[in-house]
Amino acid sequence: MPGIDFTVYKGSEGGKVVQATAAGQALGPNEVLIRITHAGLCGTDLHFRGQDMVLGHEGVGVVQQIGAQVKHFKVGERAGWGYLHESCMSCESCFTGNEILCSERHLYGTHEHDRGAFASHAVWNENFLFHIPDAISSSDAAPMMCGGATVFNALEKYGVRDTDRVGVIGVGGLGHFAIQIAAKMGCEVVVFSSTESKKEEAMRLGATEFYPTKGVQELKIGRPLDQLLVTTSQQPDWNMYLPVMAPNSTIFPLTVSEGDLKVPYFPLLANAIRIQGCLPPSRAIHMKLLRFAAFHKIKPVIQEFPLTREGIEEAMDRLDKGEIKYRAVLVADKA
């Protein structure tokens, strides 16, 4: 089966998006060629904009060719992928459904620099692709491949229950997913935002309470929080949030922030508070997210841009300036 050449959009040392051509190769026995129709823009993509690699890791498209041993995908079906590309499939992490923690994992930014979602096509191992439910459009599915999946992973993997009081800091790319997912899980959802301006939307998305924090020195929220999801790009004022955490509660820092994580020490000890690191999910939880989103009609708030060099640069520049509400999706011509 001959390979095809395809267009890719790469980062560069100066941060400009560069259009290039990737030489096609014959598909391996378990590989799938996807014609990309939609690609989500994630904050992580900004971190790799200065590197010589194909950008994008929230890809959705249509299967165009399949390898000789592909069993789970057919030509013409929709497929998506996210942050995790491959794993060894034979270590303890892989055997227990934690491929994202495999010591030989292939992740966006560390492996397969010649492939990404900002492209006309991509080739991936079928075992790390996901079927897109009919109830979810490709535009809505793209941001779920990482952003929505990461939030769902924190809530699903670490035992959040419908009786929990879940705090969400920030109403943005991750935060607006967190509000919807936690609400549909049956949780009380307490939202914190710097200003009052996002209250109406937060409540529409499923928040039960909303607290503006600009200029606030002390939070008064009634019953304390069992879980707290930090979805802002900068660390919050921990001295303000730790007093509203319940004993044995958990804090999930979900975004990448520069510098060290510095948290007051004694409050963690006094109330047995956990800080739980959390990556995008392994495959089983990723599949659960897609079923959950389809059943509960969870939809991201998106802005669409053309999947071209100019469209990518505009979307990335606007995301960097905080002007995207709330996820950018790049759409290919003739999608």
Side-chain angles (χ1 to χ4, degrees):
M1 184 181 298
I4 65 169
D5 295 343
F6 49 88
T7 301
V8 296
Y9 300 97
K10 306 170 71 175
S12 66
E13 186 175 346
K16 297 291 289 183
V17 175
V18 177
Q19 180 175 328
T21 299
Q25 297 179 342
L27 290 182
N30 299 108
E31 290 184 329
V32 173
L33 173 67
I34 299 174
R35 177 178 62 83
I36 298 168
T37 61
H38 297 77
L41 173 61
C42 183
T44 308
D45 296 319
L46 299 182
H47 297 292
F48 294 108
R49 188 174 182 174
Q51 296 191 27
D52 181 19
M53 57 175 277
V54 182
L55 299 170
H57 61 286
E58 294 183 333
V60 173
V62 178
V63 174
Q64 188 164 324
Q65 293 179 9
I66 59 174
Q69 296 179 21
V70 169
K71 299 178 180 178
H72 305 298
F73 285 90
K74 297 178 181 178
V75 172
E77 292 182 331
R78 289 189 301 158
W81 76 92
Y83 203 75
L84 177 65
H85 299 171
E86 292 191 23
S87 69
C88 77
M89 305 291 282
S90 60
C91 67
E92 183 175 346
S93 290
C94 290
F95 278 137
T96 56
N98 291 299
E99 304 94 355
I100 193 70
L101 300 178
C102 172
S103 62
E104 298 181 30
R105 64 193 177 185
H106 288 201
L107 301 176
Y108 174 64
T110 65
H111 292 78
E112 288 79 47
H113 290 166
D114 59 337
R115 285 173 274 174
F118 298 176
S120 63
H121 298 76
V123 174
W124 297 109
N125 181 333
E126 71 156 331
N127 292 312
F128 292 84
L129 292 172
F130 303 97
H131 288 278
I132 308 300
D134 292 341
I136 304 177
S137 73
S138 294
S139 279
D140 289 340
M144 294 182 189
M145 294 297 107
C146 179
T150 298
V151 170
F152 187 80
N153 192 40
L155 295 168
E156 172 71 16
K157 183 176 178 61
Y158 298 103
V160 175
R161 297 176 296 179
D162 57 5
T163 53
D164 283 347
R165 191 162 156 84
V166 177
V168 178
I169 303 178
V171 185
L174 290 180
H176 91 291
F177 268 126
I179 297 167
Q180 293 184 77
I181 293 170
K184 291 300 184 181
M185 285 182 167
C187 303
E188 293 181 42
V189 185
V190 183
V191 175
F192 306 93
S193 183
S194 58
T195 67
E196 189 87 17
S197 62
K198 294 183 178 180
K199 179 177 181 178
E200 183 177 343
E201 185 152 42
M203 302 303 284
R204 180 183 63 79
L205 292 170
T208 48
E209 298 171 38
F210 181 95
Y211 297 94
T213 59
K214 186 175 183 179
V216 174
Q217 301 298 317
E218 180 183 4
L219 291 171
K220 297 180 180 180
I221 66 168
R223 189 163 71 84
L225 303 173
D226 302 295
Q227 322 286 344
L228 178 64
L229 280 64
V230 182
T231 73
T232 48
S233 58
Q234 295 183 342
Q235 294 183 40
D237 180 355
W238 295 112
N239 287 304
M240 188 164 66
Y241 285 97
L242 290 182
V244 299
M245 300 302 297
N248 290 312
S249 57
T250 305
I251 296 171
F252 298 92
L254 295 183
T255 48
V256 177
S257 177
E258 297 292 335
D260 297 331
L261 176 63
K262 296 182 179 180
V263 181
Y265 189 50
F266 185 72
L268 292 182
L269 301 181
N271 286 302
I273 298 171
R274 294 178 297 278
I275 297 178
Q276 177 64 58
C278 192
L279 286 166
S282 296
R283 296 174 297 165
I285 290 180
H286 198 129
M287 289 189 291
K288 284 184 180 181
L289 160 71
L290 292 172
R291 294 198 299 266
F292 185 89
F295 181 79
H296 289 288
K297 298 180 174 56
I298 290 173
K299 293 170 62 72
V301 177
I302 62 172
Q303 292 179 253
E304 293 184 343
F305 299 83
L307 184 49
T308 60
R309 185 183 64 80
E310 295 79 9
I312 294 167
E313 286 201 330
E314 180 186 358
M316 294 187 91
D317 288 344
R318 291 182 62 179
L319 177 61
D320 196 31
K321 295 174 183 175
E323 296 176 353
I324 296 294
K325 183 185 176 182
Y326 290 113
R327 303 291 294 195
V329 177
L330 299 150
V331 182
D333 187 29
K334 301 177 182 178

